[in-house]
């Protein structure tokens, strides 16, 4: 394989050392899927984004976890958009992805850093299969009474499908455990290409999130843009937000990488997730 530049950025960090790391390869047009997967395994982050081409409005991007290609990855999209804004200028870009077109608007934050507002593909929501729900409860050591009133368990989509569970009890939210390999098997069977999204409401428009993602080195994602967008769609579906509300999602505390994601929920259409990204120590070329 020819030498490939791999960039490493962390997205949505709430403080130094926080956020979700992503690998970024800006010139991947000549790479095969197997080569991209091999790079993603070497990088060993939840996802690595590969720019495999360009359209008149922006890049064509593919995403790989260490285990497989995934249709979409929010934090890697934010990180890639920040890199492109730093190198090519601020403004609007539309990413072509396997999940659909994703619009991104890069602007300058007051501190001079790049801030990116990512508007998801058209969201969707559906009832969860009762069998999958019951197996998920069993894997997490939960029962139906653990779910907060007014927040039914559903599957939500804004690029990837995520089951969404809003827990009533704060202690239960912080202390539940799960077996990664068994959960990974259920996720494959159920078609949950994103994370298992577990939430606890901490304020009228504030939530803490744990996004279970049993691949790679971490089994819990520090910050998940696609899950944040799916959460916004879910909250709109169940009537927990009003059009124009901004929801604050805090994530990553349980894995030592505090993160914050800002989620704007319009009356209809795509959900907008806003955040930034900063470079971290790079890997050698491969």
């Amino acid at each position: 394989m020819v030498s490939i530049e791999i960039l490493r950025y962390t997205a949505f960090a709430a403080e130094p050392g926080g956020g979700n790391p992503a690998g970024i390869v800006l010139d991947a047009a000549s790479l095969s899927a197997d080569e991209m997967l091999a790079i993603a395994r070497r990088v060993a982050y939840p996802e690595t984004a590969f720019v495999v081409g360009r359209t008149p409005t922006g890049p064509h991007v593919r995403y790989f976890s260490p285990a497989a290609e995934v249709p979409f990855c929010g934090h890697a999209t934010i990180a890639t958009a920040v890199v492109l804004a730093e190198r090519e200028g601020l403004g609007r870009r539309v990413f072509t992805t396997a999940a659909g077109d994703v619009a991104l608007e890069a602007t300058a934050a007051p501190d001079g850093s790049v801030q990116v507002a990512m508007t998801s593909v058209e969201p969707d929501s559906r009832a969860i299969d009762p069998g999958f729900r019951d197996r998920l409860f069993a894997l997490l050591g939960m029962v139906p009474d653990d779910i907060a009133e007014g927040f039914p368990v559903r599957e939500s989509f804004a690029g990837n499908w995520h089951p969404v569970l809003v827990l009533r009890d704060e202690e239960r939210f912080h202390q539940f455990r799960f077996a990664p390999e068994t959960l990974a098997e259920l996720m494959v069977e159920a078609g949950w290409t994103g994370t298992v999204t577990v939430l606890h409401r901490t304020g009228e428009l504030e939530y803490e999130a744990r996004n279970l993602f049993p691949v790679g080195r971490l089994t819990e994602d520090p910050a998940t843009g696609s899950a944040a967008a799916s959460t916004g769609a879910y909250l709109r579906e169940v009537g927990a937000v009003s059009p124009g509300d901004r929801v604050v999602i805090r994530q990553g505390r349980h894995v030592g990488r505090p993160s914050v994601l800002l989620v704007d929920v319009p009356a209809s259409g795509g959900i907008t997730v806003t955040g930034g990204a900063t470079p971290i120590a790079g890997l050698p070329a491969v």
Side-chain angles (χ1 to χ4, degrees):
M1 188 188 303
V2 298
S3 179
I4 299 293
E5 181 186 25
I6 302 171
L7 304 173
R8 298 203 298 177
Y9 273 58
T10 186
F12 298 117
E15 60 186 54
N20 199 358
I24 304 161
V25 178
L26 294 179
D27 186 13
S30 64
L31 298 178
S32 69
D34 287 344
E35 288 171 329
M36 287 186 276
L37 179 59
I39 290 172
R41 286 175 174 163
R42 178 168 178 177
V43 173
Y45 287 162
E47 280 91 9
T48 297
F50 296 85
V51 177
V52 297
R54 297 278 183 137
T55 74
T57 56
H60 178 196
V61 186
R62 295 174 68 177
Y63 308 90
F64 286 78
S65 77
E69 184 171 10
V70 296
F72 179 69
C73 174
H75 82 276
T77 296
I78 291 286
T80 304
V82 167
V83 170
L84 292 175
E86 291 173 342
R87 296 190 175 199
E88 302 173 5
L90 302 172
R92 175 182 166 88
R93 293 176 175 85
V94 177
F95 282 26
T96 300
T97 79
D101 290 348
V102 179
L104 298 110
E105 186 73 31
T107 59
D111 64 0
S113 64
V114 176
Q115 193 85 348
V116 175
M118 173 183 72
T119 300
S120 75
V121 298
E122 182 68 29
D124 198 2
S125 178
R126 65 191 182 196
I128 189 170
D129 177 271
F132 290 148
R133 180 200 60 206
D134 293 347
R135 288 168 60 187
L136 181 58
F137 279 165
L139 280 171
L140 302 182
M142 295 179 184
V143 297
D145 284 348
D146 289 322
I147 301 300
E149 185 178 356
F151 293 89
V153 178
R154 293 183 63 83
E155 296 178 8
S156 187
F157 173 88
N160 294 305
W161 281 105
H162 304 256
V164 181
L165 296 78
V166 182
L167 301 190
R168 174 178 53 81
D169 183 72
E170 181 179 8
E171 184 175 346
R172 167 66 76 183
F173 171 81
H174 290 300
Q175 294 187 356
F176 75 83
R177 300 288 187 269
F178 62 98
E181 290 185 3
T182 309
L183 180 60
E185 292 171 0
L186 174 60
M187 292 174 68
V188 170
E189 186 178 347
W192 300 331
T193 53
T195 59
V196 172
T197 301
V198 185
L199 303 163
H200 175 66
R201 193 178 193 180
T202 57
E204 185 176 353
L205 292 173
E206 295 191 5
Y207 293 80
E208 188 165 7
R210 298 180 65 179
N211 276 275
L212 314 183
F213 189 60
V215 301
R217 294 174 180 170
L218 292 178
T219 59
E220 191 169 323
D221 224 11
T224 319
S226 66
S230 295
T231 296
Y234 165 86
L235 295 174
R236 183 170 66 189
E237 176 74 17
V238 302
V241 293
S242 299
D245 279 346
R246 167 168 280 190
V247 177
V248 178
I249 296 178
R250 304 188 189 280
Q251 189 180 330
R253 177 154 63 111
H254 296 83
V255 293
R257 301 189 65 91
S259 308
V260 61
L261 303 92
L262 306 177
V263 182
D264 292 297
V265 184
S268 61
I271 307 297
T272 299
V273 178
T274 299
T278 54
I280 54 181
L283 286 172
V286 298

